[in-house]
Amino acid sequence: MLPLPRAVILLASTALSYAANPAASRWDGSFLVPGREMKLVVDLSQNDKGEWIGSAIFPTLDIAGAPLSDIAVKDSTLSFAVKGVLGDIKVRGNLTDGGGFSGALEQGGNSAPLAMQKTGPPQVDLPRQSTNVARELEGEWEGDMTAIDHNVHVRLSLANRTDGKATAKFFLKGRREVNLNVAILTQDSDLLTLEVPDAFLTYEGRFRGGEISGTWQQGPYEFALVLHRAAKP
Amino acid sequence: MRFLSIGMILAALCAGQAMFRGDATHSGIYAGSGPRQLHGVKWKFATGDRVVSSPVWSGGILYFGSDDNNVYAVDASSGRQIWKFTTRGPVPCSPAVAAGLVYFVSYDGHFYAVEAATGRLRWKFATGGERRFEAKGIHGMQPKTQTIADPYDVYLSSPVVASGAVYFGSGDGNVYALDAATGDLRWKFTTGDVVHASPAIDSGTLYVGSWDSYFYAIDAASGKEKWRFHGGEDPVIHNQVGFQSSPTIADGVVYTGCRDSNLYAIDAATGKEKWRFYNNGSWVIVSPTVVNGKVVFATSDSSLFHIADAATGKPVLQQDTTAYVFSSPAVAGGVAYYGVLNGTFQARDLNDGKLLWQYQTDTARKNPGWVLAADGKINGAMLFHSNWREAPIVAADLEFSIGVIFSSPLVADGVVYFGSTDGYLYALD
């Protein structure tokens, strides 16, 4: 038998997976809130461990790649949540015989009928993951930034973990004291990026000459911030 | 205009002064009582666009503007139209009525005086033109280098009449004094930005705030500045800046809200701050009402109804209004009445702040676009999902489309009147 081209093998593999799990698919549908139709695209799949993963796109609401959580597929019922997007969204319903989904979408205590159809294999947009950081970046850092008209002292704690995803926390002391847990932390060469989406915050800094020199970006604000090794508390 | 009864004409001619919040000090206190219990909608009057304007009552006739470019005169007892006067722009201000004339500003950049009895134009005056407060990256909108008009600058300045002059602010940054009979310019006072608050006048001094973050006391006769008071600044997103609130004067003290989250009490003679009530980032757009030694006001984002001690500013009580309040509380018979941006109209007992009743507009009940969460709060997550392009402005327009109540109510003969963005003027009893 002639060897099949690699692309054909991959396509066949995807198609088999698609066929094996009725819920695993790209779903395209809409829900009708009073006076307005909202589009929704959902990608559902299973990872190597058999766990359900998924993501959602709301084309009319400027949202793409929102991760699904609490995914449950049992017999013909399907439910999942989209947390931190449009408040928290919950979807519950049933897979129908014609390759569709019929259920309800809840947001803000409101509920609307939701209908979706399969439109192809899933294209799950996996959320970005934190990475570990270089050993010399671990530990405590501090610096000061001028936020419009007042000084804010910033303290940063960085720690690697055995699962390869470092953790970080900001402690801010300005007019108020604020603790912020960093949601996504990545190091790419000398570029360190820390993100706190709930606070619309990104800090990007370059690690050079023993300091991290970068920009604190929060909404429309941008402030220069250089972090140095913290003095022992 | 249809046929007018002699009675209506006489009523209009004999009526006294009427203006935003009842009088030239914007007291917001009305004689008699309004409904302590809601019986229902006595009538509602349809216009062609949102009614942001607060109605005024003179001789049994209600006068108010609509964003459909018209000013209406409506019989208060029947809700029947007496006349309408068409301008070339929206009229989101309260008219003032004095000496048989009705005065108002239109977004067309003109100030009008029309006859109260007939709606016929007596004179009009061209300002430098209307515009909304605007700034780069306002409220965090993106791109931050783009100048964007503020969708929450919803009012125009409501005129006041005193000593034969009519006074009002303008989007051209000026406060104007015109001869009330002829429209001739007496003086104009230039501020640094848009003036959409309504001036209050007491003892020959005019008090008004500007979006330049200053609050001014101006000699009403000469137009000369007596003092100015500096509110907060917000040079980056311009969210916590500017006097949108119209002041109230009581017992030698000027009370005004500010977008810098404070309610200020300022000595009317000196301009010195007596106290401030800080609201944690929440605008104070309403005009406060001072009654029995207490200040009654409400806030936007924190959505609270407050009563504070007028002498000290110390809080007396607060109650949750569910959503933002721009509508200034009217007080009558121990009850405070005001509208809410979730399309409800609320009545609260002044003694304990308890909600006596609330009414929700039909459009708000239908909740188009899920503007409201199921608990009646503004569904911010659904509305404000993007800061880019015109998304926040479109969201604000959608929010306002559900029959929200910017209009400040008036109480007369046991009935409370207010406008809504659903295009109706409501009479509840």
Side-chain angles (χ1 to χ4, degrees):
Chain A
M1 191 176 78
L2 291 171
L4 289 169
R6 185 175 172 82
V8 173
I9 295 170
L10 282 172
L11 196 63
S13 161
T14 304
L16 285 169
S17 166
Y18 177 49
N21 302 283
S25 175
R26 165 157 282 205
W27 298 87
D28 203 326
S30 63
F31 56 103
L32 192 64
V33 305
R36 194 174 178 194
E37 185 182 29
M38 304 278 196
K39 296 287 184 188
L40 172 62
V41 178
V42 172
D43 289 292
L44 270 173
S45 185
Q46 287 175 289
N47 64 17
D48 296 342
K49 298 175 192 166
E51 298 163 335
W52 284 99
I53 54 173
S55 59
I57 303 167
F58 294 83
T60 48
L61 295 171
D62 298 308
I63 293 163
L68 306 189
S69 61
D70 305 338
I71 304 169
V73 181
K74 188 175 182 186
D75 301 327
S76 65
T77 65
L78 166 65
S79 63
F80 59 85
V82 193
K83 292 183 178 169
V85 172
L86 305 177
D88 289 345
I89 283 179
K90 289 179 185 170
V91 169
R92 287 193 187 86
N94 295 292
L95 307 177
T96 58
D97 291 340
F101 170 89
S102 178
L105 180 145
E106 289 178 25
Q107 188 276 340
N110 298 307
S111 180
L114 169 67
M116 300 191 290
Q117 285 293 324
K118 292 182 181 180
T119 58
Q123 303 172 49
V124 176
D125 192 353
L126 292 171
R128 288 168 41 244
Q129 303 289 323
S130 292
T131 63
N132 267 343
V133 295
R135 178 161 289 181
E136 59 265 37
L137 278 167
E138 284 193 281
E140 301 291 315
W141 298 83
E142 65 182 350
D144 289 273
M145 62 181 173
T146 303
I148 307 173
D149 58 356
H150 64 282
N151 185 75
V152 177
H153 185 73
V154 179
R155 196 174 177 100
L156 171 67
S157 301
L158 282 169
N160 281 327
R161 292 197 322 196
T162 53
D163 65 359
K165 296 173 184 173
T167 61
K169 287 180 182 176
F170 282 114
F171 174 69
L172 311 180
K173 191 171 184 181
R175 287 177 177 158
R176 291 182 297 164
E177 295 185 355
V178 180
N179 287 297
L180 293 170
N181 290 319
V182 173
I184 303 168
L185 157 59
T186 57
Q187 185 186 359
D188 182 2
S189 184
D190 66 349
L191 179 64
L192 185 68
T193 305
L194 302 100
E195 297 175 50
V196 187
D198 289 348
F200 307 101
L201 164 66
T202 301
Y203 175 73
E204 288 177 342
R206 300 251 176 213
F207 178 56
R208 287 173 186 163
E211 64 181 24
I212 307 168
S213 178
T215 306
W216 181 278
Q217 302 162 66
Q218 193 162 12
Y221 298 94
E222 284 186 16
F223 310 118
L225 174 62
V226 179
L227 296 167
H228 308 275
R229 271 289 170 202
K232 299 274 184 193
Chain B
M1 190 186 70
R2 303 279 169 85
F3 295 107
L4 295 174
S5 73
I6 296 295
M8 282 180 178
I9 293 172
L10 283 175
L13 288 174
C14 297
Q17 292 192 344
M19 51 200 84
F20 178 60
R21 296 188 28 88
D23 53 48
T25 64
H26 301 328
S27 70
I29 300 170
Y30 294 88
S33 297
R36 196 170 174 84
Q37 291 180 307
L38 178 64
H39 299 103
V41 178
K42 185 180 180 191
W43 52 255
K44 59 181 188 176
F45 178 88
T47 78
D49 206 335
R50 58 190 201 176
V51 180
V52 172
S53 165
S54 305
V56 299
W57 188 97
S58 180
I61 299 174
L62 299 168
Y63 301 90
F64 66 97
S66 167
D67 284 11
D68 70 1
N69 300 358
N70 292 306
V71 168
Y72 292 89
V74 171
D75 178 58
S77 60
S78 67
R80 188 169 65 86
Q81 179 177 312
I82 297 170
W83 54 255
K84 71 175 180 186
F85 178 88
T86 303
T87 75
R88 296 167 69 86
V91 187
C93 73
S94 274
V97 184
L101 293 179
V102 181
Y103 304 94
F104 52 90
V105 188
S106 166
Y107 249 107
D108 67 12
H110 288 86
F111 185 86
Y112 292 85
V114 303
E115 293 174 0
T118 64
R120 283 185 2 217
L121 178 69
R122 181 70 67 85
W123 54 259
K124 68 177 180 180
F125 174 89
T127 69
E130 273 305 337
R131 68 180 180 94
R132 287 182 163 184
F133 173 61
E134 61 193 1
K136 288 182 177 174
I138 190 167
H139 310 324
M141 292 186 210
Q142 299 275 22
K144 62 188 176 186
T145 51
Q146 181 92 56
T147 299
I148 303 166
D150 183 353
Y152 297 95
D153 178 11
V154 293
Y155 303 108
L156 289 181
S157 176
S158 299
V160 289
V161 183
S163 305
V166 59
Y167 305 90
F168 64 98
S170 170
D172 67 11
N174 292 309
V175 179
Y176 288 93
L178 307 181
D179 185 285
T182 65
D184 292 340
L185 179 68
R186 287 191 174 179
W187 52 258
K188 68 178 178 184
F189 177 91
T190 303
T191 78
D193 214 320
V194 167
V195 183
H196 281 163
S198 174
I201 190 164
D202 188 40
S203 305
T205 303
L206 198 70
Y207 302 92
V208 68
S210 165
W211 240 295
D212 67 5
S213 196
Y214 284 96
F215 186 89
Y216 298 90
I218 305 164
D219 183 82
S222 66
K224 302 290 185 205
E225 180 178 321
K226 288 187 168 179
W227 52 256
R228 67 173 67 188
F229 174 87
H230 195 189
E233 297 280 3
D234 183 356
V236 176
I237 63 167
H238 313 278
N239 176 271
Q240 297 282 301
V241 65
F243 288 92
Q244 186 174 10
S245 162
S246 302
T248 303
I249 310 159
D251 304 322
V253 180
V254 181
Y255 301 87
T256 185
C258 186
R259 278 204 175 178
D260 69 5
S261 303
N262 288 299
L263 175 76
Y264 291 105
I266 305 166
D267 186 289
T270 65
K272 301 290 184 204
E273 179 180 322
K274 292 176 76 72
W275 52 258
R276 67 176 68 187
F277 188 120
Y278 183 63
N279 294 281
N280 297 308
S282 186
W283 295 343
V284 183
I285 305 299
V286 306
S287 294
T289 305
V290 183
V291 57
N292 298 332
K294 305 286 195 302
V295 185
V296 181
F297 70 102
T299 58
S300 59
D301 295 57
S302 60
S303 303
L304 292 171
F305 172 86
H306 288 282
I307 297 181
D309 184 89
T312 64
K314 294 277 191 298
V316 174
L317 64 82
Q318 67 178 42
Q319 295 283 350
D320 183 10
T321 60
T322 308
Y324 314 149
V325 180
F326 279 35
S327 162
S328 303
V331 168
V335 178
Y337 303 91
Y338 56 91
V340 186
L341 295 202
N342 64 358
T344 62
F345 185 83
Q346 300 183 349
R348 286 187 184 275
D349 188 297
L350 274 182
N351 288 321
D352 55 15
K354 295 266 174 63
L355 188 68
L356 296 171
W357 54 264
Q358 66 178 346
Y359 170 82
Q360 189 172 29
T361 60
D362 289 343
T363 316
R365 270 199 290 273
K366 290 172 187 161
N367 195 14
W370 285 355
V371 167
L372 303 176
D375 59 6
K377 294 184 184 301
I378 302 295
N379 194 351
M382 192 69 156
L383 275 172
F384 300 102
H385 47 80
S386 171
N387 273 359
W388 289 94
R389 304 187 309 276
E390 282 72 38
I393 295 177
V394 171
D397 248 21
L398 180 61
E399 178 186 358
F400 301 161
S401 71
I402 64 155
V404 308
I405 301 164
F406 288 115
S407 172
S408 300
L410 83 85
V411 182
D413 292 339
V415 182
V416 62
Y417 304 92
F418 61 88
S420 165
T421 59
D422 64 8
Y424 287 95
L425 184 80
Y426 286 84
L428 305 185
D429 62 6

